[in-house]
Amino acid sequence: MHMSDIELRLNSSLGPYIAVFKTHIDIVEDFDRSTTIKGLQALAAKHNFLVFEDRKFVDIGNTIQKQYHGGALRISEWAHIVNASVLAGDGIVEALTKTGTDDEFPYVGDRALLILAEMTTKGSLAVGEYTKASIESARKHSQFVIGERIHDGEDFVVFTTGVNRATKGDSLGQQYQTSEMAIKQGADFIITGRGIYAAEDPVEMVKLYQKEGWDAYLARTSQAEA
């Protein structure tokens, strides 16, 4: 994938209609800090959206700290939100929390973590005891963890991936759901990628997802108040 000027202009067009822009920065073939990152930061500031790097950290704590707040990508400098899996244990979340809440960390209060408690792929093993451990880790490190990819009835922000109104899945195991389905199940944020950028008119499509998501949210909250 190339983060070309054309794509940055497209993201600028989508900017007014999104709350969070999700990236997979390691698949950007022409990645360059002076253009890719500065371009994203400028768009985020202009349109007031957050940048979420979907890194899915999963390693020992010491390595993850260096991947997050160092290395070639220097993710902590530009991504407001990152995510991690507890597959290797709670030490992953503990390590990121220590980095993100340290007094010497320059972005304290402006960075946060999501825990990957579930996935939308067919045959996912992120279920049962794994999901339970994810929730327990979120509770333990709530000073840095803002949410999960599951609704557990607690005061965490829920991000739900795999939202696409045009198809139910792809040939590689991805399983999609509609905005209404995701919101009904407790999502606060719906994440859609190909459903927008692969559309014939991405701007009109993002407006449609925005409307469908908001309408579903109003319906859910109205039912809760009734």
Side-chain angles (χ1 to χ4, degrees):
M1 175 181 178
H2 293 274
M3 184 64 75
S4 63
D5 290 340
I6 294 175
E7 286 170 332
L8 285 173
R9 286 199 295 272
L10 173 61
N11 293 334
S12 182
S13 299
L14 299 176
Y17 310 104
I18 63 175
V20 181
F21 181 72
K22 186 169 78 72
T23 62
H24 288 281
I25 209 67
D26 55 357
I27 67 172
V28 178
E29 295 177 10
D30 57 347
F31 173 82
D32 183 277
R33 292 188 57 79
S34 63
T35 55
T36 310
I37 298 305
K38 289 184 178 180
L40 281 175
Q41 289 176 319
L43 290 175
K46 178 180 178 180
H47 298 297
N48 194 31
F49 61 74
L50 300 177
V51 177
F52 165 26
E53 167 56 13
D54 192 2
R55 180 64 177 79
K56 299 182 179 72
F57 289 107
V58 54
D59 210 311
I60 62 170
N62 182 63
T63 297
I64 284 176
Q65 286 179 325
K66 293 176 181 177
Q67 290 174 328
Y68 176 57
H69 192 50
L73 299 178
R74 304 195 68 82
I75 295 170
S76 66
E77 294 183 4
W78 51 269
H80 302 95
I81 304 169
V82 294
N83 60 354
S85 166
V86 300
L87 184 63
D90 181 68
I92 293 172
V93 183
E94 181 180 4
L96 288 168
T97 299
K98 283 184 176 179
T99 298
T101 59
D102 189 279
D103 290 339
E104 296 185 2
F105 184 63
Y107 312 105
V108 170
D110 196 41
R111 300 290 185 265
L113 174 66
L114 290 173
I115 293 184
L116 188 66
E118 292 183 333
M119 293 192 69
T120 55
T121 48
K122 185 177 181 180
S124 170
L125 300 180
V127 296
E129 290 302 312
Y130 169 86
T131 300
K132 181 180 177 181
S134 298
I135 296 171
E136 291 175 352
S137 185
R139 292 170 179 160
K140 183 178 178 181
H141 302 287
S142 59
Q143 68 270 43
F144 192 56
V145 177
I146 60 167
E148 312 156 331
R149 289 189 180 177
I150 184 175
H151 180 59
D152 66 351
E154 296 193 32
D155 193 20
F156 287 111
V157 178
V158 179
F159 285 68
T160 297
T161 59
V163 174
N164 191 320
R165 66 193 312 275
T167 181
K168 294 183 179 180
D170 66 14
S171 61
L172 297 177
Q174 174 64 296
Q175 299 177 118
Y176 290 119
Q177 59 185 314
T178 65
S179 303
E180 183 178 11
M181 292 166 60
I183 296 294
K184 279 185 175 180
Q185 293 174 24
D188 300 298
F189 289 81
I190 54 173
I191 300 176
T192 180
R194 283 172 281 182
I196 292 174
Y197 70 73
E200 184 175 346
D201 189 335
V203 175
E204 288 304 310
M205 189 58 67
V206 75
K207 291 180 182 179
L208 182 57
Y209 277 102
Q210 182 191 53
K211 183 180 186 304
E212 290 180 341
W214 183 245
D215 287 347
Y217 180 75
L218 291 178
R220 188 184 83 193
T221 53
S222 296
Q223 291 174 358
E225 294 173 356

